[in-house]
Amino acid sequence: MSRAVHMPDPAAPLGVFDSGVGGLSVLRALRAHLPRENLIFVADQGHIPYGPRPLAEVREFSEAIVRFLLAEGAKLIVVACNTASAAALAHLRQTFPNVAFVGMEPAVKPAAETTQTGVVGVIATRATFQGELYASVVERFAQDVRVLQSTCPGLVEEIEAGNTDGVEARRILEAALTPMLAENIDAVVLGCTHYPFVERLVREIAGEGVRIIEPSEAIARRTEWLLQEHGLETPNRAEGWTRGLTTGQAQALSDQMRRLIGVTVEGEDLIWAEEGKLTYGS
Ligand code: DGL
Protein backbone atom coordinates (compact mmCIF):
# COMPACT_ATOMS: atom_id res chain seq x y z
CA MET A 1 0.00 0.00 0.00
CA SER A 2 1.26 3.47 -0.84
CA ARG A 3 1.59 5.41 2.42
CA ALA A 4 2.07 8.84 0.89
CA VAL A 5 -1.16 10.76 1.29
CA HIS A 6 -2.38 11.95 -2.06
CA MET A 7 -3.63 15.53 -1.61
CA PRO A 8 -4.34 16.63 -5.11
CA ASP A 9 -4.50 20.21 -6.25
CA PRO A 10 -7.56 20.96 -8.42
CA ALA A 11 -5.27 22.86 -10.79
CA ALA A 12 -3.19 19.68 -11.33
CA PRO A 13 -3.49 17.65 -14.54
CA LEU A 14 -5.39 14.44 -15.16
CA GLY A 15 -3.12 11.46 -15.81
CA VAL A 16 -4.16 9.25 -18.72
CA PHE A 17 -2.39 6.13 -19.97
CA ASP A 18 -2.53 3.26 -22.43
CA SER A 19 -0.11 0.91 -24.14
CA GLY A 20 -0.25 3.19 -27.18
CA VAL A 21 -2.46 5.37 -29.33
CA GLY A 22 -5.67 3.68 -28.16
CA GLY A 23 -5.68 6.02 -25.18
CA LEU A 24 -6.05 8.87 -27.66
CA SER A 25 -9.67 7.89 -28.33
CA VAL A 26 -10.31 8.54 -24.63
CA LEU A 27 -8.08 11.62 -24.57
CA ARG A 28 -10.08 13.09 -27.46
CA ALA A 29 -13.31 12.66 -25.49
CA LEU A 30 -11.72 14.15 -22.35
CA ARG A 31 -10.44 17.13 -24.36
CA ALA A 32 -13.89 17.73 -25.83
CA HIS A 33 -15.82 17.22 -22.61
CA LEU A 34 -13.44 18.86 -20.13
CA PRO A 35 -11.70 21.50 -22.26
CA ARG A 36 -10.22 23.45 -19.34
CA GLU A 37 -8.51 20.47 -17.72
CA ASN A 38 -4.79 19.85 -18.23
CA LEU A 39 -3.94 16.35 -19.47
CA ILE A 40 -0.78 14.25 -19.28
CA PHE A 41 -0.92 11.24 -21.57
CA VAL A 42 1.53 8.35 -21.27
CA ALA A 43 1.74 5.73 -24.03
CA ASP A 44 3.81 2.66 -23.17
CA GLN A 45 4.66 2.02 -26.81
CA GLY A 46 7.91 0.33 -25.80
CA HIS A 47 5.75 -2.56 -24.56
CA ILE A 48 2.94 -2.55 -27.03
CA PRO A 49 0.86 -4.68 -27.49
CA TYR A 50 -0.36 -5.37 -23.95
CA GLY A 51 -3.13 -7.69 -25.12
CA PRO A 52 -1.13 -10.91 -25.54
CA ARG A 53 0.93 -10.37 -22.35
CA PRO A 54 0.31 -12.08 -19.01
CA LEU A 55 -1.98 -10.04 -16.73
CA ALA A 56 0.72 -9.89 -14.03
CA GLU A 57 3.14 -8.20 -16.39
CA VAL A 58 0.57 -5.61 -17.52
CA ARG A 59 -0.17 -4.99 -13.82
CA GLU A 60 3.51 -4.20 -13.16
CA PHE A 61 3.72 -1.79 -16.08
CA SER A 62 0.47 -0.11 -15.04
CA GLU A 63 1.58 0.40 -11.45
CA ALA A 64 4.87 1.95 -12.57
CA ILE A 65 3.06 4.30 -14.97
CA VAL A 66 0.67 5.37 -12.22
CA ARG A 67 3.60 6.07 -9.88
CA PHE A 68 5.15 8.23 -12.58
CA LEU A 69 1.90 10.13 -13.20
CA LEU A 70 1.38 10.74 -9.49
CA ALA A 71 4.96 11.99 -9.17
CA GLU A 72 4.08 14.42 -11.98
CA GLY A 73 1.24 15.66 -9.77
CA ALA A 74 -1.74 13.96 -11.47
CA LYS A 75 -4.94 14.54 -9.48
CA LEU A 76 -6.91 11.62 -10.97
CA ILE A 77 -5.90 8.71 -13.21
CA VAL A 78 -7.81 7.56 -16.28
CA VAL A 79 -6.77 4.02 -17.24
CA ALA A 80 -7.52 4.54 -20.94
CA CYS A 81 -6.90 0.90 -21.75
CA ASN A 82 -9.26 -2.04 -21.37
CA THR A 83 -6.35 -4.45 -21.06
CA ALA A 84 -4.65 -2.50 -18.27
CA SER A 85 -8.01 -2.08 -16.53
CA ALA A 86 -8.61 -5.83 -16.72
CA ALA A 87 -5.15 -6.59 -15.42
CA ALA A 88 -4.62 -3.85 -12.88
CA LEU A 89 -7.59 -1.68 -11.92
CA ALA A 90 -8.46 -3.53 -8.70
CA HIS A 91 -4.76 -3.70 -7.78
CA LEU A 92 -4.26 0.01 -8.46
CA ARG A 93 -7.23 0.98 -6.31
CA GLN A 94 -5.84 -1.14 -3.50
CA THR A 95 -2.27 0.11 -3.87
CA PHE A 96 -3.25 3.80 -4.10
CA PRO A 97 -6.36 4.01 -1.91
CA ASN A 98 -6.39 7.81 -1.87
CA VAL A 99 -6.33 8.19 -5.62
CA ALA A 100 -9.43 8.42 -7.81
CA PHE A 101 -9.29 6.10 -10.85
CA VAL A 102 -11.48 5.86 -13.90
CA GLY A 103 -11.12 2.51 -15.65
CA MET A 104 -12.49 0.90 -18.78
CA GLU A 105 -14.74 -2.14 -18.91
CA PRO A 106 -16.25 -3.50 -22.11
CA ALA A 107 -19.61 -1.72 -22.57
CA VAL A 108 -21.67 -4.90 -22.44
CA LYS A 109 -24.38 -3.18 -20.37
CA PRO A 110 -25.68 -0.75 -23.04
CA ALA A 111 -25.41 -3.51 -25.64
CA ALA A 112 -27.41 -5.96 -23.53
CA GLU A 113 -30.01 -3.32 -22.64
CA THR A 114 -30.81 -2.40 -26.22
CA THR A 115 -30.41 -5.62 -28.20
CA GLN A 116 -33.46 -6.77 -30.15
CA THR A 117 -31.98 -10.03 -31.42
CA GLY A 118 -30.67 -11.05 -28.00
CA VAL A 119 -27.17 -11.55 -29.41
CA VAL A 120 -24.32 -9.04 -29.07
CA GLY A 121 -20.65 -9.13 -29.96
CA VAL A 122 -17.59 -7.88 -28.11
CA ILE A 123 -14.18 -7.37 -29.67
CA ALA A 124 -11.27 -6.89 -27.28
CA THR A 125 -7.80 -8.22 -26.52
CA ARG A 126 -7.14 -11.69 -25.15
CA ALA A 127 -6.05 -10.28 -21.77
CA THR A 128 -9.27 -8.28 -21.46
CA PHE A 129 -11.34 -11.44 -21.94
CA GLN A 130 -9.19 -13.26 -19.37
CA GLY A 131 -9.68 -10.65 -16.64
CA GLU A 132 -12.24 -10.96 -13.86
CA LEU A 133 -13.68 -7.58 -14.80
CA TYR A 134 -15.04 -8.91 -18.08
CA ALA A 135 -16.56 -12.01 -16.46
CA SER A 136 -18.25 -9.83 -13.86
CA VAL A 137 -19.64 -7.42 -16.47
CA VAL A 138 -21.16 -10.30 -18.43
CA GLU A 139 -22.55 -11.86 -15.28
CA ARG A 140 -24.06 -8.62 -14.01
CA PHE A 141 -25.50 -7.22 -17.21
CA ALA A 142 -25.95 -9.94 -19.78
CA GLN A 143 -27.76 -12.78 -18.04
CA ASP A 144 -30.45 -13.08 -20.71
CA VAL A 145 -28.33 -12.21 -23.69
CA ARG A 146 -25.85 -14.21 -25.76
CA VAL A 147 -22.50 -12.46 -25.74
CA LEU A 148 -20.09 -13.51 -28.50
CA GLN A 149 -16.43 -12.65 -28.17
CA SER A 150 -13.55 -12.24 -30.52
CA THR A 151 -9.98 -11.02 -30.27
CA CYS A 152 -8.47 -9.23 -33.22
CA PRO A 153 -4.83 -10.41 -33.28
CA GLY A 154 -2.60 -7.91 -35.03
CA LEU A 155 -5.16 -5.09 -35.18
CA VAL A 156 -3.54 -2.95 -32.48
CA GLU A 157 -0.24 -3.13 -34.39
CA GLU A 158 -1.96 -2.05 -37.63
CA ILE A 159 -3.54 0.92 -35.87
CA GLU A 160 -0.22 1.89 -34.29
CA ALA A 161 1.36 1.79 -37.77
CA GLY A 162 -1.32 4.17 -39.06
CA ASN A 163 -3.05 1.52 -41.20
CA THR A 164 -6.52 2.35 -39.95
CA ASP A 165 -8.05 1.87 -43.37
CA GLY A 166 -5.78 -0.86 -44.69
CA VAL A 167 -6.31 -4.27 -46.26
CA GLU A 168 -4.87 -6.09 -43.25
CA ALA A 169 -7.02 -4.21 -40.71
CA ARG A 170 -10.07 -5.08 -42.80
CA ARG A 171 -9.06 -8.74 -43.03
CA ILE A 172 -8.62 -8.97 -39.23
CA LEU A 173 -11.97 -7.31 -38.56
CA GLU A 174 -13.78 -9.46 -41.11
CA ALA A 175 -12.36 -12.58 -39.47
CA ALA A 176 -13.61 -11.37 -36.08
CA LEU A 177 -17.01 -10.02 -37.10
CA THR A 178 -18.25 -12.35 -39.85
CA PRO A 179 -18.99 -15.30 -37.51
CA MET A 180 -20.77 -12.93 -35.11
CA LEU A 181 -22.86 -11.42 -37.89
CA ALA A 182 -23.82 -14.93 -38.96
CA GLU A 183 -25.22 -15.39 -35.44
CA ASN A 184 -27.35 -12.27 -35.87
CA ILE A 185 -25.68 -9.79 -33.51
CA ASP A 186 -27.25 -6.33 -33.54
CA ALA A 187 -24.60 -4.59 -31.44
CA VAL A 188 -20.83 -4.73 -31.36
CA VAL A 189 -18.89 -3.41 -28.38
CA LEU A 190 -15.48 -1.89 -29.06
CA GLY A 191 -13.71 -3.35 -26.02
CA CYS A 192 -10.27 -1.94 -26.77
CA THR A 193 -9.50 1.76 -26.87
CA HIS A 194 -7.58 1.36 -30.14
CA TYR A 195 -10.65 0.17 -32.04
CA PRO A 196 -12.53 3.49 -32.38
CA PHE A 197 -9.85 4.39 -34.91
CA VAL A 198 -11.13 1.61 -37.19
CA GLU A 199 -14.80 2.31 -36.52
CA ARG A 200 -15.38 3.14 -40.19
CA LEU A 201 -14.19 -0.34 -41.19
CA VAL A 202 -16.36 -1.92 -38.49
CA ARG A 203 -19.34 0.02 -39.87
CA GLU A 204 -18.62 -1.10 -43.43
CA ILE A 205 -18.31 -4.75 -42.43
CA ALA A 206 -21.17 -4.84 -39.92
CA GLY A 207 -23.62 -2.73 -41.93
CA GLU A 208 -26.11 -0.12 -40.75
CA GLY A 209 -28.26 -2.52 -38.73
CA VAL A 210 -25.59 -3.15 -36.11
CA ARG A 211 -25.07 -0.64 -33.32
CA ILE A 212 -21.42 0.12 -32.59
CA ILE A 213 -20.81 0.86 -28.94
CA GLU A 214 -17.82 3.06 -28.21
CA PRO A 215 -17.43 4.07 -24.56
CA SER A 216 -15.09 7.08 -24.61
CA GLU A 217 -17.88 9.65 -24.16
CA ALA A 218 -19.18 7.75 -21.14
CA ILE A 219 -15.66 7.64 -19.71
CA ALA A 220 -15.33 11.41 -20.09
CA ARG A 221 -18.67 11.92 -18.31
CA ARG A 222 -17.62 9.56 -15.53
CA THR A 223 -14.36 11.51 -15.15
CA GLU A 224 -16.30 14.77 -14.88
CA TRP A 225 -18.57 13.26 -12.25
CA LEU A 226 -15.62 12.01 -10.18
CA LEU A 227 -13.87 15.39 -10.37
CA GLN A 228 -17.03 17.04 -9.05
CA GLU A 229 -17.46 14.39 -6.38
CA HIS A 230 -13.90 14.98 -5.08
CA GLY A 231 -13.98 18.77 -5.49
CA LEU A 232 -11.19 18.51 -8.06
CA GLU A 233 -12.54 20.49 -11.01
CA THR A 234 -9.93 22.81 -12.42
CA PRO A 235 -10.03 26.52 -11.57
CA ASN A 236 -8.48 27.19 -15.04
CA ARG A 237 -10.45 29.65 -17.12
CA ALA A 238 -8.49 29.13 -20.31
CA GLU A 239 -8.23 25.96 -22.36
CA GLY A 240 -6.07 23.32 -20.68
CA TRP A 241 -2.78 22.00 -22.06
CA THR A 242 -1.99 18.47 -23.20
CA ARG A 243 1.32 16.65 -22.91
CA GLY A 244 2.17 13.39 -24.68
CA LEU A 245 4.89 11.08 -23.35
CA THR A 246 5.96 7.72 -24.71
CA THR A 247 8.34 4.85 -24.04
CA GLY A 248 8.48 4.52 -27.85
CA GLN A 249 9.40 7.31 -30.28
CA ALA A 250 8.51 10.85 -29.19
CA GLN A 251 8.35 12.21 -32.73
CA ALA A 252 6.14 9.33 -33.84
CA LEU A 253 3.74 10.02 -30.94
CA SER A 254 3.52 13.71 -31.94
CA ASP A 255 2.64 12.65 -35.49
CA GLN A 256 0.07 10.11 -34.27
CA MET A 257 -1.59 12.63 -31.96
CA ARG A 258 -1.90 15.16 -34.74
CA ARG A 259 -3.15 12.64 -37.30
CA LEU A 260 -5.55 10.68 -35.09
CA ILE A 261 -7.06 13.38 -32.87
CA GLY A 262 -5.83 16.70 -34.26
CA VAL A 263 -3.85 17.63 -31.13
CA THR A 264 -0.43 19.24 -31.59
CA VAL A 265 2.12 18.44 -28.90
CA GLU A 266 5.87 18.05 -28.71
CA GLY A 267 6.17 14.35 -27.82
CA GLU A 268 8.40 13.59 -24.83
CA ASP A 269 10.59 10.52 -24.30
CA LEU A 270 10.26 8.20 -21.37
CA ILE A 271 12.42 5.18 -20.65
CA TRP A 272 12.03 2.12 -18.48
CA ALA A 273 14.88 2.17 -15.95
CA GLU A 274 16.41 -1.12 -14.82
CA GLU A 275 14.33 -1.44 -11.68
CA GLY A 276 11.06 -1.21 -13.59
CA LYS A 277 10.65 2.52 -13.01
CA LEU A 278 9.66 5.08 -15.61
CA THR A 279 11.94 8.08 -16.02
CA TYR A 280 12.57 10.82 -18.53
CA GLY A 281 15.09 9.89 -21.18
CA SER A 282 15.78 9.74 -24.87
N1 DGL B 1 -5.66 -0.10 -26.02
C1 DGL B 1 -5.64 -1.27 -25.29
C2 DGL B 1 -6.96 -1.75 -24.78
O1 DGL B 1 -7.85 -0.96 -24.62
C3 DGL B 1 -4.58 -2.31 -25.42
C4 DGL B 1 -4.07 -2.69 -26.73
C5 DGL B 1 -2.85 -3.54 -26.60
O2 DGL B 1 -1.81 -3.00 -26.24
O3 DGL B 1 -2.96 -4.75 -26.85
O4 DGL B 1 -7.15 -2.90 -24.51
Side-chain angles (χ1 to χ4, degrees), residues 18-19 48-51 81-83 125 156 192-194:
D18 180 35
S19 59
I48 200 160
Y50 275 6
C81 176
N82 289 82
T83 305
T125 68
V156 163
C192 167
T193 54
H194 278 75

Side-chain angles (χ1 to χ4, degrees), residues 29-79:
L30 291 168
R31 260 287 52 105
H33 201 73
L34 299 164
R36 292 180 298 113
E37 294 291 344
N38 296 326
L39 306 175
I40 303 186
F41 174 60
V42 169
D44 188 12
Q45 291 170 303
H47 286 141
I48 200 160
Y50 275 6
R53 291 178 184 273
L55 294 174
E57 190 177 31
V58 175
R59 196 174 305 136
E60 268 172 42
F61 298 155
S62 302
E63 181 178 332
I65 296 168
V66 169
R67 282 190 197 285
F68 175 84
L69 287 168
L70 293 176
E72 291 291 305
K75 62 181 174 183
L76 176 149
I77 306 287
V78 181
V79 184

Side-chain angles (χ1 to χ4, degrees), residues 172-187:
I172 295 166
L173 281 166
E174 276 172 353
L177 296 172
T178 306
M180 295 182 175
L181 293 164
E183 297 286 330
N184 209 17
I185 58 164
D186 64 356

Side-chain angles (χ1 to χ4, degrees), residues 8 50 65 127 188 195 204 206 208 259:
Y50 275 6
I65 296 168
V188 60
Y195 299 167
E204 280 174 25
E208 289 304 321
R259 189 165 37 78

Side-chain angles (χ1 to χ4, degrees), residues 24-254:
L24 296 178
S25 61
V26 178
L27 195 83
R28 175 172 57 190
L30 291 168
R31 260 287 52 105
H33 201 73
L34 299 164
R36 292 180 298 113
E37 294 291 344
N38 296 326
L39 306 175
I40 303 186
F41 174 60
V42 169
D44 188 12
Q45 291 170 303
H47 286 141
I48 200 160
Y50 275 6
R53 291 178 184 273
L55 294 174
E57 190 177 31
V58 175
R59 196 174 305 136
E60 268 172 42
F61 298 155
S62 302
E63 181 178 332
I65 296 168
V66 169
R67 282 190 197 285
F68 175 84
L69 287 168
L70 293 176
E72 291 291 305
K75 62 181 174 183
L76 176 149
I77 306 287
V78 181
V79 184
C81 176
N82 289 82
T83 305
S85 298
L89 192 58
H91 170 78
L92 293 172
R93 288 194 165 123
Q94 209 173 21
T95 308
F96 306 99
N98 300 313
V99 178
F101 287 94
V102 178
M104 316 280 310
E105 59 182 30
V108 170
K109 186 175 182 224
E113 278 170 357
T114 54
T115 180
Q116 300 291 311
T117 61
V119 192
V120 303
V122 182
I123 51 175
T125 68
R126 192 177 71 198
T128 294
F129 288 129
Q130 282 169 350
E132 282 168 24
L133 196 58
Y134 179 70
S136 95
V137 164
V138 172
E139 186 175 315
R140 276 181 290 148
F141 304 121
Q143 288 287 349
D144 307 320
V145 169
R146 272 181 76 207
V147 184
L148 307 180
Q149 298 153 25
S150 190
T151 59
C152 295
L155 186 56
V156 163
E157 291 90 325
E158 289 299 314
I159 295 166
E160 287 286 319
N163 304 327
T164 48
D165 207 11
V167 176
E168 183 59 9
R170 179 183 290 275
R171 189 197 61 74
I172 295 166
L173 281 166
E174 276 172 353
L177 296 172
T178 306
M180 295 182 175
L181 293 164
E183 297 286 330
N184 209 17
I185 58 164
D186 64 356
V188 60
V189 176
L190 306 186
C192 167
T193 54
H194 278 75
Y195 299 167
F197 295 118
V198 287
E199 190 169 335
R200 210 169 65 82
L201 282 179
V202 174
R203 170 61 63 219
E204 280 174 25
I205 296 164
E208 289 304 321
V210 173
R211 182 166 169 224
I212 298 172
I213 300 181
E214 200 277 88
S216 59
E217 267 302 313
I219 293 297
R221 283 197 302 274
R222 168 84 187 145
T223 305
E224 181 181 34
W225 183 87
L226 264 187
L227 288 173
Q228 286 168 356
E229 185 75 3
H230 291 268
L232 287 176
E233 291 164 290
T234 183
N236 285 351
R237 295 238 160 262
E239 192 177 325
W241 46 254
T242 302
R243 289 173 60 196
L245 299 86
T246 179
T247 59
Q249 302 288 323
Q251 183 56 50
L253 181 65
S254 305

